[in-house]
Amino acid sequence: MRRFMIGQFNKFNQVKQQRDFRGDFFGVEVCQMESEEDIERINLISKKDAFKLGIHFPLRNGQWRLRDPQYLSKNGDVKDESFDYMAREFEYSMKIKPYYILIHYPKPVIIDDNVDWRRWRFADETEYYYESKYDFDLFEEKSENFFRWLSDKGKDYNFIPILELDAVNKYIYKTDLLERLLDKYPNIKLCLDIGRIHLQDKIDDSFNGYLFVERFAKHAELVHLWNVQVETNLKNSHYPVLPSQESTEGWADVQRYMTIITKYNSEFKVLFEHRSDLISDEELDNCYDWIKSML
């Protein structure tokens, strides 16, 4: 289906490409490739098989101390390093002419002091600030600067900038800041990551995943689709979505999320950001068919 994508992360996996990709899929998202050879290989295959490439920033592994640039950092040196890092990688990435480049937003994440974030994945403590240490005016100012810069880069290099919403707090879901920025810089789009949204919905009492998705669905260029069981602990992270998964057992209600998104948006792409090795070929076909039926 011309709206479906798979991911190739760290190394090009030929077995995964042959098993997971279908001839009518839209493309492949690549991230943190460890060798030039793998980048060249996927680029050549995309041309031969006529599909698009997207980048989950960065294209190359090991170009900075962390994967995600910290463009909202209060540390001026870290902020400048982050913008330099993005600029270098954008320029390099043009060799594969990506359809989009996706970056996590916000980074560092601004998190609610009252939520237990131990089940969220942070590389280290520089990846977040508590809300009490980072006020809204500063967040608005730095976000505006980042959006302006990213929008210009997208136009200069002819790619769609996509922001994957990381953990979000009241600066995003209780103000209109994000809507205002997306309206002001309309070439910037969103990625709604269902696994992340489901996890936050379960651990943050102030956050409603369904209302959040309804609010931002029209801005989505991409949906990252995977599931996870959120109970006392996390189980089966990045598990493929299947109709047998019950929300009463801690799984995300994928059909409800997809119904909301499709109500407001008929153009978004779906990246199956899952571990397909956890299921059989028949279950993988079932996963694809189930989501196709919702579109």
Side-chain angles (χ1 to χ4, degrees):
M1 187 175 187
R2 296 302 295 180
R3 289 167 64 187
F4 284 1
M5 303 181 70
I6 69 166
Q8 289 281 5
F9 305 130
N10 297 122
K11 297 179 180 180
F12 175 71
N13 185 327
Q14 181 65 40
V15 173
K16 177 181 175 67
Q17 188 71 20
Q18 291 177 334
R19 178 176 184 255
D20 293 13
F21 196 78
R22 304 288 186 268
D24 61 351
F25 276 19
F26 179 81
V28 174
E29 184 177 280
V30 292
C31 177
Q32 290 184 289
M33 289 294 178
E34 294 176 352
S35 73
E36 299 270 351
E37 292 76 16
D38 278 350
I39 295 171
E40 285 297 324
R41 191 175 181 191
I42 189 64
N43 193 30
L44 288 172
I45 292 172
S46 73
K47 289 180 170 61
K48 178 176 72 71
D49 294 341
F51 61 80
K52 300 289 188 183
L53 292 176
I55 295 173
H56 188 305
F57 189 89
L59 175 58
R60 296 181 293 178
N61 196 17
Q63 302 304 304
W64 198 54
R65 65 181 185 84
L66 295 174
R67 181 193 68 179
D68 295 325
Q70 297 177 348
Y71 45 84
L72 300 183
S73 177
K74 294 196 291 185
N75 182 308
D77 291 338
V78 172
K79 182 198 66 147
D80 291 344
E81 286 176 12
S82 296
F83 278 101
D84 289 344
Y85 169 41
M86 289 187 287
R88 291 194 310 271
E89 282 301 296
F90 288 174
E91 184 172 358
Y92 176 85
S93 297
M94 291 310 107
K95 68 189 300 179
I96 68 169
K97 295 181 171 60
Y99 177 76
Y100 67 77
I101 298 180
L102 176 152
I103 294 178
H104 282 228
Y105 171 83
K107 281 290 179 172
V109 177
I110 316 301
I111 57 177
D112 191 323
D113 298 64
N114 300 312
V115 174
D116 182 355
W117 295 98
R118 285 177 294 180
R119 286 180 284 182
W120 207 267
R121 293 182 301 168
F122 293 116
D124 64 32
E125 60 184 19
T126 70
E127 283 224 296
Y128 61 87
Y129 291 105
Y130 282 104
E131 198 176 282
S132 59
K133 303 296 183 182
Y134 201 109
D135 65 41
F136 176 76
D137 289 343
L138 181 63
F139 183 73
E140 181 176 28
E141 175 191 346
K142 288 186 175 290
S143 291
E144 170 85 39
N145 291 338
F146 170 63
F147 269 72
R148 183 188 310 113
W149 182 89
L150 183 62
S151 176
D152 288 344
K153 290 296 184 184
K155 294 172 184 175
D156 291 344
Y157 288 122
N158 195 31
F159 68 85
I160 298 174
I162 298 180
L163 299 180
E164 177 176 346
L165 296 173
D166 210 296
V168 295
N169 77 337
K170 69 183 183 185
Y171 297 166
I172 292 177
Y173 63 75
K174 288 190 176 180
T175 79
D176 66 350
L177 173 62
L178 184 53
E179 284 101 337
R180 287 192 281 111
L181 290 172
L182 291 168
D183 287 341
K184 187 172 182 179
Y185 303 100
N187 63 319
I188 297 178
K189 305 298 182 182
L190 294 183
C191 168
L192 298 176
D193 185 299
I194 299 305
R196 287 177 180 272
I197 291 169
H198 173 56
L199 174 55
Q200 184 161 351
D201 185 79
K202 289 295 188 181
I203 67 175
D204 183 352
D205 292 338
S206 298
F207 178 80
N208 185 308
Y210 303 114
L211 293 178
F212 186 79
V213 165
E214 183 172 22
R215 185 175 167 190
F216 290 105
K218 68 178 182 180
H219 297 288
E221 177 70 28
L222 187 63
V223 170
H224 276 183
L225 206 51
W226 55 282
N227 216 335
V228 58
Q229 279 183 290
V230 186
E231 295 175 313
T232 305
N233 296 305
L234 301 183
K235 295 188 294 184
N236 298 311
S237 184
H238 284 270
Y239 204 88
V241 298
L242 295 168
S244 59
Q245 294 161 348
E246 297 289 344
S247 58
T248 54
E249 297 175 355
W251 295 103
D253 188 339
V254 171
Q255 185 159 11
R256 184 175 176 185
Y257 278 117
M258 294 298 287
T259 298
I260 294 170
I261 299 170
T262 55
K263 179 180 178 181
Y264 297 97
N265 188 329
S266 61
E267 303 296 329
F268 64 91
K269 312 301 184 293
V270 175
L271 171 69
F272 292 93
E273 196 183 44
H274 59 208
R275 285 191 54 195
S276 61
D277 59 297
L278 297 174
I279 59 175
S280 67
D281 291 349
E282 182 180 358
E283 287 173 315
L284 183 59
D285 286 337
N286 193 15
C287 169
Y288 291 159
D289 290 342
W290 187 44
I291 299 304
K292 183 184 291 187
S293 73
M294 300 179 199
L295 303 183

